Amino acid sequence: MPQRRQKTGWKKAGRVTTLRTAAAPLLAGCAAVLLTQAVAADERAPMKRPEIPVAADVCAGVREQPVQVTFDSSEALFVSAAGDRFLASDIQMPMQASGQAGGEDARRNTLQAYLESRPDLELAAVAAGPENRWGLTPGWVFVSDDGHSALLQEQLLKAGVAIFAPGHAGAECADALRAAETQASLARAGLWGETSPRLVYSAAAPKSFSDASGHYVIARGRIVSLGKTRSTRYLNFGKYWKTDFTVTLKASAEDDVNTALGRSGWTLDALEGQVVEIRGSVQERDGPSMVLRHPEQLVVLNDKRAGRDGQSSN
């Protein structure tokens, strides 16, 4: 197998990896408390980019009108009168310690706690993507009270009970949701103020990912080299592909990723030596790895447009 760690540019690579996606659980029992604490924290935490529009204005677009839905607590879904079943898209609820319920139980209990804390809310949903093989439609879920409408995903991110997990968000929507998450992290709201779970990992410390396999996390670090085969691109975060952290993406996705990176002045082939943030599910295969399936999973933490020392708007 040829070595794919090289000093400069895109080089031939010999490693191909796949990823089994896995939903990450959350400590559901604390959800109501976290949400209450986050309301006060949100008032103290300034937005990095206050000009970014609210998610309710940019995520659903004008493709179709939202339909009224009710929350089905037995499945953590939002159901319309016609029987359409919507799953709140583009968020993950991370695992916490303490032996609390996880997985779909965590999602169900967290959503139920939030909605029960605001019983007068009206709910509506619009499709964010096509129906999956289980008959579930990823959706943008709107909550409204006294004529004011907000995106549920954005509110959960601001409360710190979920992290942004790009799957269907376009550019402006991704900016808005990432800004909501940043607001929670700066305020140390919800999960961001806890010692567990660990939300952010260092890409330079591959051994630290030993407890993250199968979970959706955020990784940050410097790209050491770039590699490629005919079908796959590699972002290498160390010199030894058998042990170091690696991100892969399909060659066919390169144009979409370059379009997303272009908003901060970058392209994939210029990322060697740059510090980036990547989020996704971790798989252990010749060291920890992630698959980049959506272009908004990857951002460069140095924004060329902001000057040499500017931070990414993402």
Side-chain angles (χ1 to χ4, degrees):
M1 177 178 294
Q3 185 172 342
R4 60 181 175 78
R5 304 288 183 175
Q6 302 292 339
K7 291 184 178 180
T8 58
W10 290 104
K11 301 296 182 181
K12 290 294 183 180
R15 171 182 169 183
V16 178
T17 186
T18 60
L19 178 66
R20 183 182 70 251
T21 57
L26 171 72
L27 174 59
C30 295
V33 175
L34 295 177
L35 288 163
T36 302
Q37 293 173 339
V39 171
D42 285 347
E43 296 175 354
R44 300 192 301 270
M47 295 284 286
K48 278 190 172 181
R49 290 285 299 273
E51 70 274 16
I52 293 176
V54 294
D57 295 335
V58 294
C59 286
V62 294
R63 290 174 296 176
E64 55 185 284
Q65 291 297 314
V67 297
Q68 296 298 117
V69 293
T70 57
F71 179 62
D72 179 354
S73 61
S74 67
E75 296 186 275
L77 301 175
F78 297 86
V79 184
S80 73
D84 299 314
R85 299 191 299 162
F86 295 92
L87 180 70
S89 179
D90 286 59
I91 55 173
Q92 286 281 345
M93 297 175 177
M95 176 183 67
Q96 267 192 325
S98 304
Q100 298 292 326
E104 289 307 307
D105 285 341
R107 175 179 281 264
R108 177 177 63 250
N109 294 341
T110 300
L111 291 171
Q112 185 171 2
Y114 176 81
L115 295 172
E116 287 182 350
S117 72
R118 303 179 65 186
D120 296 331
L121 289 177
E122 295 181 358
L123 304 174
V126 62
E131 182 180 290
N132 64 23
R133 59 180 175 175
W134 297 284
L136 306 178
T137 300
W140 303 116
V141 180
F142 295 89
V143 292
S144 59
D145 185 15
D146 293 332
H148 175 72
S149 182
L151 192 69
L152 175 64
Q153 286 94 327
E154 182 180 44
Q155 295 196 339
L156 293 172
L157 291 169
K158 284 183 177 180
V161 298
I163 62 174
F164 179 40
H168 301 281
E172 286 189 312
C173 178
D175 285 346
L177 295 178
R178 192 175 280 109
E181 181 189 88
T182 298
Q183 183 173 345
S185 67
L186 290 175
R188 301 195 65 79
L191 294 167
W192 296 98
E194 302 293 321
T195 57
S196 178
R198 183 175 183 177
L199 302 178
V200 181
Y201 287 73
S202 170
K207 290 183 179 179
S208 70
F209 288 86
S210 61
D211 64 348
S213 183
H215 298 298
Y216 198 100
V217 303
I218 300 167
R220 294 173 184 154
R222 189 177 304 277
I223 296 175
V224 173
S225 67
L226 306 171
K228 69 177 180 179
T229 64
R230 182 176 181 179
S231 61
T232 306
R233 301 292 182 259
Y234 298 89
L235 309 179
N236 305 313
F237 290 81
K239 295 181 179 180
Y240 306 106
W241 64 269
K242 278 288 188 181
T243 57
D244 290 327
F245 179 66
T246 304
V247 173
T248 65
L249 64 144
K250 292 181 178 179
S252 58
E254 189 169 348
D255 287 345
D256 288 341
V257 174
N258 279 333
T259 297
L261 291 173
R263 304 206 315 278
S264 56
W266 293 98
T267 59
L268 270 174
D269 60 9
L271 293 188
E272 183 172 311
Q274 300 306 316
V275 177
V276 303
E277 177 184 278
I278 177 74
R279 56 187 66 211
S281 296
V282 177
Q283 181 184 25
E284 283 289 337
R285 184 176 180 182
D286 291 330
S289 64
M290 286 183 186
V291 175
L292 196 156
R293 303 180 185 279
H294 188 282
E296 296 296 340
Q297 288 175 247
L298 173 69
V299 292
V300 184
L301 297 183
N302 174 48
D303 191 331
K304 283 186 175 181
R305 301 169 306 172
R308 189 170 183 178
D309 297 322
Q311 292 302 302
S312 171
S313 62
N314 298 320

